[in-house]
Amino acid sequence: MRRAALALGCALALALAGCRTVPEGPAAGSGPSPYLGALMLPSVGPTPYEWNRLPGRVVMVAFFATWCFPCLAELPTLEALQKEYGPQGFQVVLVGMDLEGTLVLEPFANQYALNFPVLVSDQGMQQGRSAFGLIPALPSTFLLDKGGQVAGAWQGVAGHRDISRAVEELLRR
């Protein structure tokens, strides 16, 4: 029953939020990239997470939940992108927005054994208190350039070809 209410709440938020969310600008005194700083979160699952390896890489931050069917449908695309572009300086980071946190994200990450890290969002991030602002729809994805600044953002599932073009362009810069 709780998941049904949560799904209904998400659907309502989607309807009210529109199709675009603009992230907040850099916070004062937060260094060159508040977006990378917001990813200093605990990770779960078998793929190691080294936050200090993100600067200088093109980073795709995908916000998801274990109950979100479009999020799950997007996982093979994210895995293919990581495999294809990882050696060139690209990193996918999955951020779980499940309210139950580690309780549901750890078994999920262990079962799927993804080739990129799975992070556990904190309460501040879930309430929109991070550089990424409020995440009103899932999946929501941000593409960060090598300087850790937002170069693109979208809600919903994007196609492999479109994402590949954007990633390739950022890797060339």
Side-chain angles (χ1 to χ4, degrees):
M1 183 71 165
R2 180 175 174 201
R3 286 186 187 233
L6 187 58
L8 180 60
C10 285
L12 181 59
L14 261 172
L16 296 174
C19 295
R20 187 166 173 252
T21 299
V22 178
E24 297 175 10
S30 62
S33 176
Y35 302 101
L36 292 178
L39 298 176
M40 293 181 76
L41 296 167
S43 67
V44 293
T47 303
Y49 176 58
E50 298 176 47
W51 176 86
N52 59 347
R53 294 191 65 206
L54 295 181
R57 299 176 70 87
V58 173
V59 179
M60 176 177 284
V61 183
F63 291 91
F64 88 112
T66 58
W67 49 262
C68 169
F69 292 118
C71 301
L72 299 177
E74 187 175 51
L75 292 177
T77 298
L78 298 179
E79 283 193 294
L81 290 165
Q82 180 62 49
K83 183 177 181 181
E84 185 175 354
Y85 296 109
Q88 299 172 45
F90 174 72
Q91 182 62 59
V92 172
V93 177
L94 201 60
V95 180
M97 299 295 283
D98 292 83
L99 298 178
E100 298 90 352
T102 303
L103 184 65
V104 295
L105 289 168
E106 184 143 27
F108 171 88
N110 287 328
Q111 178 180 349
Y112 281 85
L114 301 167
N115 62 353
F116 46 80
V118 177
L119 308 184
V120 181
S121 64
D122 59 20
Q123 189 175 24
M125 183 172 277
Q126 292 170 1
Q127 294 174 353
R129 294 189 317 262
S130 83
F132 294 99
L134 185 62
I135 307 296
L138 297 173
S140 284
T141 306
F142 292 80
L143 192 57
L144 307 180
D145 63 19
K146 292 177 184 178
Q149 299 304 312
V150 174
W154 60 92
Q155 292 179 351
V157 178
H160 185 275
R161 187 172 31 176
D162 293 332
I163 299 171
S164 291
R165 284 188 203 137
V167 169
E168 288 171 5
E169 180 182 328
L170 290 174
L171 286 170
R172 281 192 299 267
R173 291 186 190 171

